[in-house]
């Protein structure tokens, strides 16, 4: 098994000491954001990482993003550890990936980490944000409209995109 994993990692992906992620700007940034938009449309779920002061906590959430990728939308029941963590500390990260839990993932999978802060959705924007979210997740309409559900947005500061297992680029939004 160990040899299978080693052979799935191309030689050029061996970690290079001191290599830092490249920040995309200009046309490269625009192209990367277009790729991310399509990637996000293809994925239904993401892993949300919150912090309670002593340890990180991760949860699976259904998500959607606005067209400019400035916000990621998600909903959660208010009576959850995740929600309590968000009230205490709005800084979060969210992982969106397309892994299939196969050896090929080391070469083919893409993982995007969004870093930002969670904010409530304001009354004036709720209608449009709900439309965006429910276009992707129509089965969640009753859950979203429940009084026990919090509908939230992450104001994204930066995306970190990892492809080919170790190729890392960053883009600020």
């Amino acid at each position: 098994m160990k040899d299978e994993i080693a052979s799935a990692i191309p030689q050029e992906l061996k970690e290079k000491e001191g290599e830092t992620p490249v920040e995309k700007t200009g046309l490269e940034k625009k192209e990367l954001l277009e790729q991310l938009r399509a990637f996000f449309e293809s994925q239904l779920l993401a892993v949300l990482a919150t912090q309670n002061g002593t340890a990180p906590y991760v949860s699976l959430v259904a998500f959607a993003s606005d067209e400019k990728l400035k916000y990621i939308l998600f909903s959660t029941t208010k009576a959850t550890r995740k929600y309590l963590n968000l009230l205490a500390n709005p800084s979060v990260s969210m992982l969106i990936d397309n892994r299939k839990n196969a050896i090929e993932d080391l070469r083919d999978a893409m993982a995007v980490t969004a870093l930002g802060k969670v904010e409530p959705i304001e009354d004036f924007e709720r209608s449009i944000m709900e439309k965006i979210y429910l276009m992707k997740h129509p089965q969640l309409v009753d859950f979203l409209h429940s009084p026990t559900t919090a509908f939230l947005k992450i104001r994204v500061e930066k995306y970190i995109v990892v492809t080919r297992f170790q190729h890392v680029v960053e883009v600020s939004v």
Side-chain angles (χ1 to χ4, degrees):
M1 179 71 173
K2 193 175 184 182
D3 291 336
E4 284 179 36
I5 293 172
S7 67
I9 303 172
Q11 273 308 106
E12 68 269 14
L13 297 183
K14 300 292 184 200
E15 193 168 338
K16 295 176 185 152
E17 194 151 335
E19 190 172 295
T20 58
V22 176
E23 174 78 25
K24 295 294 184 183
T25 59
L27 187 57
E28 285 182 329
K29 177 179 178 177
K30 185 177 178 181
E31 289 171 355
L32 180 58
L33 290 173
E34 285 294 327
Q35 291 172 350
L36 289 180
R37 190 174 299 107
F39 182 68
F40 289 178
E41 287 174 10
S42 73
Q43 302 303 309
L44 296 175
L45 303 174
V47 178
L48 177 70
T50 60
Q51 175 73 27
N52 70 4
T54 59
Y57 182 75
V58 294
S59 309
L60 204 56
V61 295
F63 80 99
S65 62
D66 72 315
E67 190 166 316
K68 293 184 178 179
L69 304 183
K70 291 192 178 284
Y71 299 106
I72 295 178
L73 312 171
F74 69 98
S75 57
T76 183
T77 303
K78 293 175 185 174
T80 61
R81 181 177 304 169
K82 166 188 357 154
Y83 186 68
L84 293 175
N85 287 352
L86 293 170
L87 292 176
N89 182 352
S91 293
V92 298
S93 65
M94 179 177 278
L95 178 72
I96 304 156
D97 73 307
N98 64 352
R99 68 193 134 125
K100 295 174 179 60
N101 203 25
I103 296 293
E104 296 79 32
D105 288 343
L106 295 170
R107 180 189 61 240
D108 300 334
M110 179 177 185
V112 179
T113 299
L115 303 174
K117 294 200 179 343
V118 169
E119 301 175 352
I121 293 177
E122 304 293 335
D123 289 341
F124 73 89
E125 63 186 348
R126 185 166 180 110
S127 173
I128 188 70
M129 297 292 196
E130 279 187 6
K131 285 178 185 168
I132 292 168
Y133 188 74
L134 291 174
M135 278 179 52
K136 188 169 182 182
H137 303 285
Q139 72 282 7
L140 295 178
V141 65
D142 292 337
F143 177 73
L144 186 62
H145 293 136
S146 168
T148 61
T149 298
F151 186 38
L152 303 164
K153 65 183 178 187
I154 301 171
R155 179 185 295 273
V156 179
E157 297 162 4
K158 180 184 291 192
Y159 290 106
I160 302 169
V161 183
V162 181
T163 55
R164 298 188 320 266
F165 194 61
Q166 292 180 341
H167 181 254
V168 182
V169 295
E170 296 181 0
V171 61
S172 298
V173 290

